Short mmCIF file of all heavy atoms in Angstrom, two decimals:
data_model
loop_
_atom_site.label_atom_id
_atom_site.label_comp_id
_atom_site.label_asym_id
_atom_site.label_seq_id
_atom_site.Cartn_x
_atom_site.Cartn_y
_atom_site.Cartn_z
N ALA A 109 -5.40 -0.36 11.43
CA ALA A 109 -5.80 0.86 10.68
C ALA A 109 -6.15 1.88 11.66
O ALA A 109 -5.94 3.12 11.34
CB ALA A 109 -7.04 0.41 9.88
N ALA A 110 -6.75 1.55 12.77
CA ALA A 110 -7.06 2.66 13.81
C ALA A 110 -5.81 3.18 14.34
O ALA A 110 -5.80 4.32 14.69
CB ALA A 110 -7.86 1.85 14.94
N GLY A 111 -4.82 2.39 14.50
CA GLY A 111 -3.47 2.87 14.95
C GLY A 111 -2.84 3.83 14.02
O GLY A 111 -2.36 4.91 14.48
N VAL A 112 -2.97 3.44 12.72
CA VAL A 112 -2.34 4.35 11.73
C VAL A 112 -3.15 5.70 11.66
O VAL A 112 -2.62 6.79 11.57
CB VAL A 112 -2.32 3.58 10.31
CG1 VAL A 112 -1.91 4.54 9.17
CG2 VAL A 112 -1.42 2.43 10.41
N GLU A 113 -4.37 5.52 11.73
CA GLU A 113 -5.32 6.70 11.59
C GLU A 113 -4.97 7.67 12.79
O GLU A 113 -4.97 8.89 12.66
CB GLU A 113 -6.83 6.30 11.58
CG GLU A 113 -7.78 7.51 11.62
CD GLU A 113 -9.22 7.00 11.54
OE1 GLU A 113 -9.55 6.17 10.66
OE2 GLU A 113 -10.01 7.43 12.43
N SER A 114 -4.93 7.05 13.99
CA SER A 114 -4.57 7.84 15.18
C SER A 114 -3.23 8.56 15.14
O SER A 114 -3.14 9.72 15.44
CB SER A 114 -4.55 6.98 16.28
OG SER A 114 -4.40 7.69 17.54
N ALA A 115 -2.32 7.80 14.46
CA ALA A 115 -1.00 8.43 14.34
C ALA A 115 -1.05 9.58 13.32
O ALA A 115 -0.44 10.71 13.61
CB ALA A 115 0.05 7.36 13.99
N MET A 116 -1.79 9.37 12.37
CA MET A 116 -1.89 10.41 11.25
C MET A 116 -2.62 11.67 11.77
O MET A 116 -2.38 12.73 11.19
CB MET A 116 -2.45 9.88 9.96
CG MET A 116 -1.43 8.89 9.34
SD MET A 116 -2.20 8.20 7.71
CE MET A 116 -2.17 9.70 6.60
N THR A 117 -3.59 11.52 12.59
CA THR A 117 -4.41 12.56 13.06
C THR A 117 -4.08 13.07 14.42
O THR A 117 -4.63 13.88 15.05
CB THR A 117 -5.93 12.31 13.05
OG1 THR A 117 -6.09 11.09 13.95
CG2 THR A 117 -6.43 11.87 11.72
N GLY A 118 -2.89 12.58 14.94
CA GLY A 118 -2.32 12.98 16.28
C GLY A 118 -2.22 14.46 16.49
O GLY A 118 -2.21 14.93 17.64
N CYS A 119 -2.00 15.23 15.38
CA CYS A 119 -1.79 16.70 15.57
C CYS A 119 -3.14 17.41 15.62
O CYS A 119 -3.10 18.65 15.72
CB CYS A 119 -0.93 17.21 14.36
SG CYS A 119 -1.68 16.97 12.81
N LEU A 120 -4.18 16.68 15.55
CA LEU A 120 -5.61 17.33 15.52
C LEU A 120 -6.19 17.02 16.87
O LEU A 120 -6.01 15.93 17.52
CB LEU A 120 -6.47 16.74 14.48
CG LEU A 120 -5.88 16.80 13.01
CD1 LEU A 120 -6.85 16.22 12.03
CD2 LEU A 120 -5.62 18.25 12.60
N ASP A 121 -7.15 17.96 17.31
CA ASP A 121 -7.87 17.65 18.55
C ASP A 121 -9.14 16.91 18.04
O ASP A 121 -9.40 16.74 16.89
CB ASP A 121 -8.19 18.97 19.33
CG ASP A 121 -9.07 19.97 18.61
OD1 ASP A 121 -9.93 19.48 17.77
OD2 ASP A 121 -8.96 21.15 18.88
N GLU A 122 -9.94 16.46 19.10
CA GLU A 122 -11.12 15.73 18.75
C GLU A 122 -12.07 16.40 17.87
O GLU A 122 -12.60 15.81 16.84
CB GLU A 122 -11.75 15.27 20.02
CG GLU A 122 -12.86 14.23 19.88
CD GLU A 122 -13.47 13.76 21.19
OE1 GLU A 122 -12.70 13.60 22.18
OE2 GLU A 122 -14.57 13.49 21.23
N GLU A 123 -12.29 17.70 17.98
CA GLU A 123 -13.16 18.46 17.23
C GLU A 123 -12.68 18.57 15.80
O GLU A 123 -13.41 18.39 14.85
CB GLU A 123 -13.37 19.88 17.74
CG GLU A 123 -14.39 20.69 17.08
CD GLU A 123 -14.68 22.06 17.73
OE1 GLU A 123 -14.45 22.21 18.86
OE2 GLU A 123 -14.94 23.05 17.00
N GLN A 124 -11.41 18.78 15.65
CA GLN A 124 -10.80 18.91 14.28
C GLN A 124 -10.82 17.54 13.58
O GLN A 124 -11.11 17.49 12.38
CB GLN A 124 -9.37 19.42 14.36
CG GLN A 124 -9.18 20.81 14.77
CD GLN A 124 -7.75 21.21 15.19
OE1 GLN A 124 -7.03 20.34 15.66
NE2 GLN A 124 -7.30 22.32 14.77
N THR A 125 -10.68 16.49 14.29
CA THR A 125 -10.77 15.12 13.61
C THR A 125 -12.17 14.90 13.21
O THR A 125 -12.32 14.36 12.06
CB THR A 125 -10.23 13.99 14.74
OG1 THR A 125 -8.99 14.34 15.13
CG2 THR A 125 -10.42 12.63 14.05
N GLU A 126 -13.16 15.18 13.95
CA GLU A 126 -14.59 15.00 13.56
C GLU A 126 -14.82 15.94 12.36
O GLU A 126 -15.56 15.55 11.42
CB GLU A 126 -15.51 15.21 14.72
CG GLU A 126 -15.64 14.15 15.63
CD GLU A 126 -15.96 12.81 14.93
OE1 GLU A 126 -16.90 12.75 14.04
OE2 GLU A 126 -15.26 11.82 15.10
N MET A 127 -14.43 17.14 12.25
CA MET A 127 -14.57 17.99 11.20
C MET A 127 -13.94 17.36 9.93
O MET A 127 -14.51 17.46 8.89
CB MET A 127 -13.92 19.35 11.47
CG MET A 127 -14.32 20.49 10.41
SD MET A 127 -13.43 22.00 10.61
CE MET A 127 -14.23 22.47 12.27
N LEU A 128 -12.72 17.00 10.12
CA LEU A 128 -12.12 16.27 8.97
C LEU A 128 -12.82 15.20 8.46
O LEU A 128 -13.04 14.95 7.31
CB LEU A 128 -10.59 15.89 9.31
CG LEU A 128 -9.80 15.24 8.24
CD1 LEU A 128 -9.65 16.05 7.02
CD2 LEU A 128 -8.46 14.71 8.84
#
Side-chain angles (χ1 to χ4, degrees):
V112 169
E113 181 180 304
S114 180
M116 288 182 69
T117 59
C119 61
L120 304 175
D121 63 29
E122 193 173 322
E123 185 178 328
Q124 290 170 322
T125 301
E126 279 309 308
M127 183 185 301
L128 177 60

